[in-house]
C-alpha cells in the first residue's frame, strides 16, 4: 500500500470529520422527523405488516405521495393569461443534472398545442432544390442521435435586473432544464432537400396558436441543431412540443421552436416579432442588442436557498447547478462571504457540452450568517460576472440574459433570503 501524501492525509482527515458530523446530523434529522414512534426501530413498522399495492397499480408511475410539493409553480401576477405564461422548474428539490420530464419548466405564448401524431407534418421549403414534407414516421426512420443539453429561457432571472425580487431559486433561476434528447440532426434534413448557394438563414415556425417563429443562421442549423422527438427516452411531453421540437444547443430557449411545423430556408433573417419587439436587449442609451442567441455561463446554489432552508447546524452540503451555452463548464467556485473569498466546488457527474453540471461544496456550519454565492467558468475562459458589472455594461432596462452571480443570505436561524451585495 502506498503511503498517503499530505493531500490524501488531509482529505482522509476531512472525510473522517465529515462522517462524524454526518452521524450527529443524521441523529438530529431523525429525531426531528419522527412523528410516529410505533414505526421506529426496534418496532416492526406499519408498512411491513400487510401486503402493498399490486404490480401495475400505476401503469405510468408517479412520485410518492410524500413528494407532492415537488411541482412546477407559477407566479400568478407575472402574466395576464395562463396561455401565455410560465411554470418554473423546482430546482431546489432536484439533484444530479437531469430534469424529470414532468418538472421541466414550461413557457408558451399561445397555450399547449394538441397535435395528433398521425396528422403531424414538417414542411421544409424556401431556398432548397427539393421542397420536402416529413411525416413523424419519416423523421423517426432517419439516423438519430442522443444528446444531453440545457435549455434556458432568455428571460430567466429577468425579474432580478433592478434588484433582488423573488424569494426562491425556482423563481429566480427555474426557467432552465436539462434533459437527454433523441432526434435527427437538422443537417440531414437540409442535405436531403439540397441547399441553394445563397442559403444563409432558416426560419423555424411552430404549429401552436402563437405560430412562434424565429430566424436561425444556417451555420448553427448545420452545426448541432436537432429535430427532436424524445426527451429522457420517452416521446416529448405535450408542453415541450409533442411530437417534434427544434433543439438549438446553448442558445436562448425562445429559438427552440416547439410543435415544429415549418422550416424555410432564406438568404436573410425575417425580423419576426419575437426577434424585434421581444428577445432584444434594451441598453441604457436606448439602443437594443439583437440576435443575442448564446446563453452565457451561469450558476446558482439550489440548496440551501429560500425554499430549502437549513434545518440544523453542523455538516451540510451546498449544492447547485452550472451551465454555459459556449461549451463545457470547466470550474465552479463557491463563496460563503459574498464574493470576498472563493473555494473551488466539486463537480460530480458527467460534464457535457452545453449541458448542466452539478456542483457541491461541503461545509460545517456553526450557525453564523453567510452570504452564499456561486460562480461558473466555462472552457472558453468566460467567467460568470457579478450583477453589478453586468449592469454597468447593460443598464437595467433589459429583461433578458441576466447571468449575474446570485447571492443567498443564510441567517442564523437557517432561513435563506434573496439579497444583493454592494
Ligand atoms: N415554441 C412555440 N411554438 N411556441 C412557444 O410559445 N416558447 C419558446 C420556446 N419555443 C414557444 C416555443 C420559449 S420563450 C421558450 S423559453 C422555450 O420554448 C421553452 O421551452 P419549454 O417549455 O420546453 O421549457
Amino acid at each position: 500500500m502506498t503511503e498517503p501524501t499530505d493531500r490524501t492525509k488531509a482529505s482522509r482527515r476531512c472525510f473522517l470529520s465529515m462522517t462524524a458530523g454526518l452521524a450527529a446530523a443524521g441523529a438530529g434529522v431523525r429525531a426531528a422527523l419522527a412523528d410516529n414512534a410505533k414505526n421506529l426501530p426496534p418496532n416492526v413498522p406499519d408498512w411491513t405488516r400487510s401486503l402493498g399495492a399490486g404490480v401495475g397499480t400505476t401503469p405510468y408511475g408517479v412520485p410518492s405521495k410524500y413528494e407532492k410539493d415537488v411541482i412546477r409553480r407559477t407566479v400568478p401576477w407575472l402574466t395576464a393569461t395562463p396561455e401565455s405564461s410560465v411554470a418554473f422548474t423546482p430546482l431546489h428539490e432536484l439533484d444530479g443534472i437531469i430534469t424529470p420530464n414532468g418538472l421541466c419548466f414550461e413557457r408558451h405564448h399561445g397555450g399547449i398545442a394538441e397535435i395528433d401524431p398521425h396528422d403531424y407534418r414538417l414542411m421544409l421549403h424556401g431556398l432548397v432544390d427539393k421542397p420536402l414534407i416529413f411525416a413523424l414516421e419519416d423523421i423517426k426512420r432517419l439516423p438519430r442521435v442522443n444528446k444531453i443539453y440545457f435549455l434556458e429561457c432568455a428571460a430567466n432571472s429577468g425579474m432580478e435586473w433592478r434588484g433582488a425580487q423573488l424569494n426562491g431559486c425556482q423563481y429566480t433561476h427555474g426557467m432552465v432544464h436539462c434533459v437527454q434528447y433523441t432526434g435527427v440532426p437538422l443537417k440531414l434534413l437540409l442535405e436531403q432537400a439540397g441547399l441553394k448557394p445563397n442559403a444563409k438563414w432558416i426560419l423555424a415556425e411552430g404549429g401552436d396558436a402563437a405560430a412562434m417563429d424565429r430566424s436561425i443562421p444556417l451555420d448553427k442549423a448545420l452545426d448541432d441543431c436537432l429535430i427532436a422527438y424524445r426527451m429522457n427516452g420517452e416521446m416529448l411531453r405535450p408542453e415541450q412540443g409533442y411530437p417534434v421540437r427544434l433543439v438549438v444547443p446553448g442558445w436562448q430557449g425562445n429559438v427552440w421552436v416547439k410543435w415544429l411545423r415549418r422550416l424555410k430556408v432564406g438568404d436573410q433573417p425575417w425580423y419576426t416579432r419575437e426577434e424585434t419587439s421581444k428577445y432584444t436587449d434594451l441598453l441604457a442609451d436606448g439602443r437594443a442588442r439583437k440576435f443575442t442567441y448564446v446563453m452565457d455561463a451561469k450558476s446558482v446554489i439550489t440548496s440551501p436557498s429560500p425554499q430549502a432552508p437549513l434545518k440544523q447546524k453542523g455538516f451540510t452540503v451546498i449544492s447547485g447547478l452550472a451551465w454555459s451555452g459556449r461549451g463545457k463548464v470547466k470550474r465552479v467556485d463557491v463563496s460563503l462571504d459574498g464574493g470576498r473569498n472563493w473555494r473551488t466546488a466539486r463537480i460530480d457527474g458527467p460534464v457535457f457540452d452545453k449541458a448542466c453540471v452539478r456542483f457541491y461544496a461541503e461545509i460545517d456550519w456553526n450557525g453564523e450568517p453567510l452570504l452564499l454565492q456561486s460562480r461558473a467558468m466555462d472552457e472558453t475562459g468566460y467567467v460568470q460576472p457579478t450583477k453589478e458589472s453586468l449592469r454597468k455594461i447593460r443598464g437595467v432596462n433589459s429583461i433578458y440574459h441576466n447571468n449575474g452571480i446570485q447571492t443567498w443570505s443564510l441567517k442564523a436561524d437557517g432561513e435563506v433570503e434573496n439579497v444583493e451585495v454592494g
Side-chain angles (χ1 to χ4, degrees):
M1 207 177 138
T2 48
E3 265 301 292
T5 60
D6 281 344
R7 239 176 104 195
T8 55
K9 271 185 203 154
S11 64
R12 228 175 252 183
R13 265 199 309 275
C14 176
F15 179 71
L16 288 176
S17 65
M18 255 168 60
T19 43
L22 269 179
V29 169
R30 281 195 293 277
L33 295 180
D35 56 5
N36 201 343
K38 72 178 170 54
N39 284 329
L40 302 183
N43 299 333
V44 175
D46 286 346
W47 45 87
T48 311
R49 293 176 180 277
S50 57
L51 286 174
V55 168
T57 305
T58 46
Y60 192 103
V62 292
S64 157
K65 65 179 181 183
Y66 300 105
E67 301 298 318
K68 65 178 182 355
D69 293 332
V70 182
I71 49 171
R72 292 190 279 234
R73 287 191 178 83
T74 55
V75 176
W77 52 262
L78 201 60
T79 56
T81 66
E83 289 79 19
S84 180
S85 192
V86 55
F88 299 87
T89 310
L91 296 178
H92 60 293
E93 297 277 13
L94 302 177
D95 216 323
I97 65 165
I98 297 294
T99 318
N101 287 346
L103 294 176
C104 286
F105 88 91
E106 44 169 335
R107 167 84 178 102
H108 331 296
H109 296 67
I112 302 169
E114 196 186 306
I115 299 179
D116 181 334
H118 300 105
D119 297 346
Y120 174 78
R121 297 291 183 276
L122 172 62
M123 186 162 79
L124 173 49
H125 67 133
L127 295 177
V128 292
D129 298 329
K130 192 169 46 148
L132 295 170
I133 290 182
F134 298 87
L136 184 57
E137 289 312 310
D138 299 330
I139 294 172
K140 284 184 169 177
R141 265 201 305 273
L142 293 169
R144 56 185 177 265
V145 294
N146 295 300
K147 297 279 185 184
I148 295 179
Y149 291 124
F150 80 84
L151 181 169
E152 184 185 17
C153 180
N156 202 19
S157 316
M159 276 86 77
E160 308 290 305
W161 269 108
R162 288 164 194 247
Q165 287 292 321
L166 297 171
N167 232 15
C169 68
Q170 178 162 22
Y171 307 112
T172 56
H173 290 74
M175 280 201 263
V176 66
H177 52 65
C178 183
V179 303
Q180 184 181 54
Y181 295 97
T182 305
V184 178
L186 173 53
K187 188 173 185 239
L188 283 187
L189 271 61
L190 295 172
E191 279 170 358
Q192 276 200 9
L195 291 166
K196 299 271 193 209
N198 53 339
K200 291 238 159 37
W201 287 80
I202 308 265
L203 181 77
E205 183 186 81
D208 53 334
M212 229 206 59
D213 50 359
R214 287 295 310 258
S215 309
I216 295 165
L218 185 63
D219 286 352
K220 180 68 176 173
L222 293 173
D223 178 17
D224 55 2
C225 290
L226 299 179
I227 304 293
Y229 49 90
R230 291 184 183 276
M231 55 196 282
N232 293 335
E234 63 180 5
M235 286 300 286
L236 292 178
R237 293 287 170 95
E239 59 271 36
Q240 261 78 43
Y242 180 89
V244 171
R245 89 173 302 164
L246 188 63
V247 165
V248 191
W251 285 22
Q252 58 178 217
N254 187 253
V255 298
W256 295 51
V257 174
K258 302 192 276 193
W259 312 289
L260 186 65
R261 174 181 173 266
R262 187 163 76 99
L263 292 166
K264 184 175 184 184
V265 182
D267 57 1
Q268 54 190 357
W270 280 261
Y271 293 102
T272 69
R273 172 186 174 276
E274 298 293 322
E275 50 209 27
T276 50
S277 118
K278 307 285 175 207
Y279 299 95
T280 54
D281 313 317
L282 187 56
L283 300 174
D285 63 4
R287 289 179 308 143
R289 303 195 311 162
K290 62 176 184 179
F291 297 126
T292 45
Y293 294 119
V294 177
M295 300 308 293
D296 282 318
K298 186 165 171 178
S299 66
V300 65
I301 292 174
T302 52
S303 173
S305 62
Q307 296 157 290
L310 278 190
K311 298 212 166 66
Q312 61 192 48
K313 292 179 196 168
F315 183 81
T316 194
V317 179
I318 294 173
S319 169
L321 282 175
W323 58 93
S324 168
R326 295 187 192 275
K328 287 185 179 142
V329 171
K330 194 170 165 209
R331 203 176 98 194
V332 183
D333 292 339
V334 164
S335 174
L336 307 181
D337 55 11
R340 269 198 282 273
N341 296 288
W342 294 93
R343 63 168 82 176
T344 301
R346 180 169 64 85
I347 292 178
D348 188 77
V351 179
F352 295 115
D353 192 38
K354 305 180 182 92
C356 286
V357 301
R358 173 62 57 179
F359 67 87
Y360 299 111
E362 285 79 18
I363 61 165
D364 196 358
W365 185 51
N366 63 8
E368 70 177 328
L370 302 177
L371 288 170
L372 301 173
Q373 296 186 337
S374 64
R375 174 177 76 179
M377 278 153 256
D378 69 22
E379 61 182 349
T380 69
Y382 177 94
V383 180
Q384 184 182 358
T386 61
K387 289 188 179 174
E388 200 180 284
S389 59
L390 205 56
R391 287 186 188 118
K392 275 196 189 124
I393 303 167
R394 304 262 304 281
V396 290
N397 294 328
S398 286
I399 300 170
Y400 308 110
H401 294 279
N402 181 355
N403 67 323
I405 291 173
Q406 174 66 42
T407 311
W408 301 129
S409 162
L410 170 64
K411 298 170 193 308
D413 61 2
E415 293 296 317
V416 182
E417 200 189 328
N418 179 7
V419 297
E420 290 214 5
V421 286

